[in-house]
Amino acid sequence: MTEIRIAATLIFHNGKFLLIREHYGLWEHPGGYVREGETFEGAAVRETFEEIGLIVKVSSLVNAHYSRDGKELIVKKIFLANIVGGKLKLSEDKEVNLFSPNELEGHFGKSVKQSIYDCVNHRYGLTYYPDGAA
């Protein structure tokens, strides 16, 4: 089974969570694929900068999600992060917005609501197997 590793950030800024809307319409965490030899934390920081131009510092693992897609095991780790520099920049097919925990109605990625819930309730480092992929 091939393992696909994804790292993402849950950016907390001015009392709200920063999310990006991808070209397919869902609000997601900034993030992407972990490169060979790279840590999940390092990939989360790199991918956030590449996607939206912000330099972040990760503080803790919020949660991890494991799922299967055919013969691929997808591992997504989400880290709480704070903005420490950079300047917001977006490609034409993305937008960014800040959401408070009570504004999570609408189209959000699978792990977004859960990661915000875990963060707000100080439940860090939890692991989820939404399709029994353990």
Side-chain angles (χ1 to χ4, degrees):
M1 181 170 287
T2 305
E3 183 176 286
I4 305 296
R5 300 182 318 145
I6 300 170
T9 53
L10 179 60
I11 300 171
F12 190 66
H13 182 71
N14 291 336
K16 294 188 175 188
F17 296 96
L18 186 148
L19 299 171
I20 59 174
R21 185 176 1 223
E22 299 284 354
H23 65 280
Y24 49 84
L26 294 180
W27 289 98
E28 293 279 2
H29 307 97
Y33 295 106
V34 179
R35 295 176 180 163
E36 187 69 34
E38 187 175 38
T39 65
F40 277 91
E41 294 92 335
V45 170
R46 176 186 53 76
E47 283 285 345
T48 298
F49 179 74
E50 289 177 5
E51 275 198 319
I52 59 175
L54 296 176
I55 301 168
V56 296
K57 179 178 180 182
V58 297
S59 57
S60 59
L61 176 66
V62 176
N63 56 38
H65 294 257
Y66 292 78
S67 60
R68 286 195 190 133
D69 185 9
K71 293 185 178 185
E72 295 177 333
L73 173 64
I74 301 167
V75 180
K76 181 178 183 181
K77 292 187 179 184
I78 303 160
F79 297 89
L80 184 61
N82 292 306
I83 300 167
V84 295
K87 184 176 180 179
L88 185 65
K89 65 176 174 72
L90 297 171
S91 62
E92 291 180 11
D93 63 342
K94 292 185 180 167
E95 66 179 283
V96 67
N97 203 353
L98 293 167
F99 294 90
S100 65
N102 62 353
E103 297 176 318
L104 297 179
E105 296 302 319
H107 302 288
F108 292 87
K110 290 180 182 179
S111 59
V112 170
K113 287 183 181 182
Q114 187 65 56
S115 64
I116 290 174
Y117 174 83
D118 289 344
C119 185
V120 167
N121 291 290
H122 306 286
R123 298 165 32 122
Y124 294 102
L126 299 177
T127 302
Y128 295 95
Y129 301 94
D131 58 2

